[in-house]
Amino acid sequence: MTTGPVDIHAHWLPEDLFPLPPGSPLPPLHGREGQMFLGELPLYIETEAMTDPRRVIADTDAAGLGTRVLSAPPFAFPVADDPGVDDYVGRFNDALAAACRDSGDRLLGLGLVSLHDVDSARAQMNQIAASGVIRGIAVPPLLGSTSFDVAPMRDLLTIASELDLAVLVHPMQLPRQEWSSYYLVNLIGNPVETTTAAASLVLGGVLEALPDLRICMLHGGGCAPALVGRWEHGWKQRADVRSAETRSPREGFTALWFDTLTHDAAALELLRAQSDPAHLMCGSDYPFDMGLPKPLELPHAAGIDDATLERNARKFLGL
């Protein structure tokens, strides 16, 4: 791994995996005239920025970063319980490991796992742990109507903790009718999905059961930093909020990790006040349109220097 700031939140998918995992509720990805589409929906992403490691490295240099940590775009999460998922996951992880090994220490990875099959996921995570260059897994915040406080997602976190693998949580932009216009499915939906997952971890007893778990909530934790006080009040007042016998939400929240992609300096200051500052890392959401081409500017504006960002990311990645 090259010295210098680390971007913990960047996406990559080889073109032969554009059809997406078997059973995906989404139409296939495809490239047209150098641009990416999800079905017929334009993504405003240059195809090579998502697929070509050489382009990724060039853009990493332009952003002033030392290393990028690549994970699959959320479209590629294997959310369906389909027998073909294992093959798709294996192909992605093999391609990711090869891209990272060939990058001259500029790229690291976070792999996929079969979300519905804990036995398959364990085998996949054992391979990831042995790879050296894939440092953990990327998962959605929700699987159907459940999150990390119950099986199977809780089981996946248990295995990751046992194997000392990092976990990155990326929202999926789940559709809801009231968010069908103005890109609200992203502008509101993504932060809400992440917040739901954070609550399941903080209030569900997961962090107490897995004290060594390193799990990162992206986009600055969504709405969660603004809700910690509300969770704390509910935890003090209501037995159902305390049903998992957790520590206070304020204390539990400091066990989570976050990227700095809040899009707002004041929001980042709030995140830093509510979280452990040693758990904040640079994130860009490369190459999506909601990402930042210069992701270091926001943490710099909040007084977080490159050395701190690099040190925190190395710890999160187990390096």
Side-chain angles (χ1 to χ4, degrees), residues 296-319:
L296 293 169
E297 291 179 352
L298 189 54
H300 288 173
I304 307 173
D305 60 40
D306 290 350
T308 298
L309 293 167
E310 180 181 359
R311 181 172 61 250
N312 294 353
R314 283 178 175 271
K315 184 177 179 182
F316 173 72
L317 296 167
L319 295 168

Side-chain angles (χ1 to χ4, degrees), residues 250-269:
R250 286 197 186 280
E251 185 180 353
F253 198 75
T254 64
L256 300 175
W257 296 68
F258 303 92
D259 77 353
T260 56
L261 188 58
T262 61
H263 295 283
D264 182 72
L268 182 53
E269 291 287 0

Side-chain angles (χ1 to χ4, degrees), residues 99-120:
C100 293
R101 291 192 183 104
D102 293 342
S103 71
D105 293 330
R106 302 301 307 281
L107 304 176
L108 293 171
L110 296 164
L112 293 175
V113 293
S114 298
L115 299 170
H116 291 273
D117 188 330
V118 174
D119 291 335
S120 290

Side-chain angles (χ1 to χ4, degrees), residues 213-227:
L213 177 68
R214 302 189 305 280
I215 184 165
C216 177
M217 319 305 289
L218 294 178
H219 309 117
C223 314
L227 296 177

